Amino acid sequence: MKKITLLLFIGFLMSCSGVKKTQSMLSDGNYDGAINRSIDNLKTNKTSKGKQVYIYMLEEAFAKAKQRDQETITMLQKDGNPSNLEKIYNTYLQLQNRQEKIRPLLPLSLINEGRNAIFPLEDYSDEIIDSKNKLSTYLYENAKKLMKVNDKMVFRQAFDDLAYLEEINPNYKDAKSLMAEAHLKGTDFVHVYTKNETNMIIPVRLQNDLLDFSTLGLNDKWTVYHSNKQKDIKYDFAMLVNFRNINISPEQIKEREFTKEKQIADGKKPLLDDKGNQVKDEKGNIIMVDNMKTIRATVFESKQFKACQITAKVDYIDIKTNQLIDTFPLSSEFIFEYIYANFNGDRRACEDNYLQYFGRRAVPFPSNEQMVFDSGEDLKNKLKNIITRNKFRR
């Protein structure tokens, strides 16, 4: 009984909290927030007395939201500025959508007043179509006007207007082809190439792999990277990956000898007390425990080691002005390490993850060219990070 009472009390508190939040939204002018909260609470048991307060708040919030939207439309229409057309269109959609949220709940009865809550629903279809057509005309004409300006950022603005036009009014005149044109003219094309200032030959396959931007996924909505120049493209920027230095360490074999010890169970033995007597359980049976012994192994380890370090810099260049925009350091290190070992004694004394080294033999060291190439994946990831964090246009 106490548990049921507690649950009812918690439910009452939650109900009060929900009502207060909805009333607060209504008082703050957040009418649609109050409408949504009221609708959520009326989706179940809308006829219960506890839901009456939400019906009153929904009626009030709907009336005030509708009045405010209609006054907003009237003011914007009087202003006559074509840039208001989008707001007018969206406000009519808001009026229509708000009604559709409430419609499934109707009728909603106000018990104490003996009437249904009043929600005067209207058909806004003509207004929506008319405002959409006016907005479509404005977006189309404004985009064409913008596309006469030879500026990439303006082309991007025209593209956004045409994309919105395609969203609200698909296949409007030649909007699709204009959008494609605006996108092409608003795109920055970047020529990416490498330069070698080291005293070593950079493997061709590393350069090709590093400049394969299809694997980096760096092309975005407004930037396209080409490692091979295309004749019909006018490039805006260049990105130069300039290799400055390549250091490769000598081939090294480091040897060491060490001893490992471990205690392991070797059979069972009776448990003895402090006096050396055998310990028995309550049934009189002798208690047996693990017989622990120490095992040892002397390990003779050989470690092959070779390292490659590459330093470079990435230059951003404005092709039109031939000016350096920015420079970023780029470096990578690749380490070849191979361990092989043998032992005297009991191999079980070594950790399980070390056992893999036993039975191995020395392997050939990678060539200098291979070391340079193997650093490529790390270089690509760091180059990608530079490009992602540092756009050509900010």
Side-chain angles (χ1 to χ4, degrees):
M1 185 66 185
K2 289 182 178 179
K3 185 176 181 181
I4 294 174
T5 304
L6 179 61
L7 290 173
L8 289 173
F9 179 69
I10 293 173
F12 173 75
L13 288 178
M14 290 177 65
S15 175
C16 291
S17 175
V19 169
K20 287 182 178 179
K21 286 181 179 178
T22 309
Q23 287 174 333
S24 177
M25 289 179 174
L26 192 53
S27 300
D28 293 340
N30 183 7
Y31 302 134
D32 282 301
I35 289 170
N36 290 334
R37 287 190 66 88
S38 298
I39 289 174
D40 287 342
N41 281 278
L42 291 169
K43 285 180 179 177
T44 56
N45 301 325
K46 68 177 184 178
T47 58
S48 69
K49 289 185 178 181
K51 300 294 181 74
Q52 286 288 290
V53 64
Y54 286 107
I55 298 176
Y56 278 106
M57 288 190 292
L58 181 60
E59 184 182 50
E60 181 182 354
F62 177 81
K64 289 183 176 179
K66 179 178 179 180
Q67 180 182 357
R68 183 167 68 184
D69 283 352
Q70 289 177 332
E71 289 175 352
T72 297
I73 290 172
T74 300
M75 181 189 67
L76 293 174
Q77 288 174 334
K78 285 182 178 179
D79 183 56
N81 189 331
S83 63
N84 294 330
L85 290 171
E86 182 178 351
K87 177 67 174 176
I88 293 171
Y89 169 66
N90 285 325
T91 306
Y92 275 124
L93 286 179
Q94 185 170 270
L95 285 163
Q96 181 73 14
N97 293 336
R98 189 182 297 126
Q99 291 184 162
E100 296 310 310
K101 288 181 182 179
I102 295 174
R103 196 185 299 273
L105 297 173
L106 301 180
L108 291 171
S109 176
L110 293 170
I111 299 172
N112 290 339
E113 297 187 25
R115 67 175 178 88
N116 289 332
I118 299 172
F119 298 98
L121 306 183
E122 299 184 33
D123 181 4
Y124 293 105
S125 57
D126 288 342
E127 287 84 353
I128 290 172
I129 292 172
D130 180 63
S131 60
K132 181 179 74 173
N133 289 337
K134 289 178 179 176
L135 175 59
S136 298
T137 301
Y138 168 71
L139 290 170
Y140 179 80
E141 295 299 333
N142 189 60
K144 290 184 70 175
K145 180 180 178 182
L146 290 173
M147 289 178 67
K148 293 178 180 178
V149 181
N150 188 23
D151 185 292
K152 284 187 180 287
M153 304 310 293
V154 178
F155 281 121
R156 296 180 188 185
Q157 184 182 341
F159 175 88
D160 290 340
D161 282 353
L162 291 166
Y164 180 54
L165 171 58
E166 183 63 21
E167 178 185 331
I168 66 170
N169 203 346
N171 301 315
Y172 185 88
K173 296 184 179 180
D174 59 342
K176 275 189 176 181
S177 61
L178 285 176
M179 190 164 63
E181 181 185 348
H183 184 265
L184 178 63
K185 291 182 177 179
T187 297
D188 284 325
F189 289 93
V190 182
H191 177 222
V192 187
Y193 60 101
T194 63
K195 184 179 179 181
N196 184 7
E197 292 185 350
T198 73
N199 57 0
M200 292 185 61
I201 297 175
I202 306 294
V204 174
R205 58 180 179 150
L206 171 60
Q207 297 186 60
N208 291 340
D209 193 46
L210 192 62
L211 300 183
D212 184 4
F213 276 71
S214 62
T215 63
L216 288 176
L218 287 171
N219 290 342
D220 58 35
K221 182 179 178 181
W222 295 114
T223 313
V224 175
Y225 299 86
H226 289 162
S227 56
N228 295 313
K229 275 192 172 183
Q230 299 181 16
K231 292 181 180 179
D232 55 341
I233 297 294
K234 186 176 181 181
Y235 290 89
D236 305 279
F237 302 101
M239 187 176 74
L240 169 61
V241 182
N242 193 346
F243 292 95
R244 308 298 298 276
N245 201 11
I246 299 177
N247 294 316
I248 300 178
S249 72
E251 298 174 355
Q252 304 172 49
I253 299 179
K254 299 178 180 179
E255 297 179 339
R256 67 172 180 147
E257 177 183 327
F258 58 92
T259 301
K260 301 291 290 184
E261 289 188 358
K262 183 190 292 184
Q263 282 199 328
I264 64 170
D266 183 28
K268 297 288 186 178
K269 66 178 182 180
L271 177 64
L272 303 178
D273 60 19
D274 293 340
K275 297 180 180 180
N277 300 317
Q278 294 180 346
V279 180
K280 298 180 180 180
D281 61 20
E282 65 273 9
K283 294 182 180 180
N285 298 318
I286 297 173
I287 298 174
M288 304 298 291
V289 294
D290 288 334
N291 181 39
M292 303 302 293
K293 73 172 184 178
T294 301
I295 58 173
R296 296 177 179 83
T298 301
V299 180
F300 306 95
E301 180 189 88
S302 298
K303 181 185 293 185
Q304 294 177 255
F305 179 86
K306 187 176 181 179
C308 172
Q309 185 183 54
I310 298 176
T311 57
K313 67 186 183 80
V314 179
D315 292 337
Y316 281 17
I317 301 167
D318 187 327
I319 290 180
K320 291 180 181 177
T321 62
N322 199 29
Q323 295 293 312
L324 180 66
I325 301 173
D326 216 334
T327 297
F328 307 96
L330 178 66
S331 64
S332 176
E333 185 176 42
F334 178 78
I335 295 175
F336 167 79
E337 188 176 81
Y338 186 82
I339 298 173
Y340 58 96
N342 52 53
F343 66 95
N344 286 330
D346 195 326
R347 62 184 284 162
R348 293 177 298 170
C350 298
E351 292 82 2
D352 289 343
N353 60 358
Y354 193 86
L355 299 180
Q356 60 180 311
Y357 302 130
F358 296 137
R360 285 182 174 184
R361 296 291 182 268
V363 297
F365 282 92
S367 66
N368 289 354
E369 180 180 339
Q370 184 64 44
M371 292 288 291
V372 174
F373 179 75
D374 286 340
S375 68
E377 194 61 35
D378 184 50
L379 276 173
K380 285 182 70 171
N381 290 332
K382 289 182 176 179
L383 178 60
K384 180 177 182 178
N385 187 55
I386 289 173
I387 298 171
T388 302
R389 289 173 174 269
N390 305 278
K391 300 299 183 182
F392 281 88
R393 293 187 189 269
R394 299 174 184 174

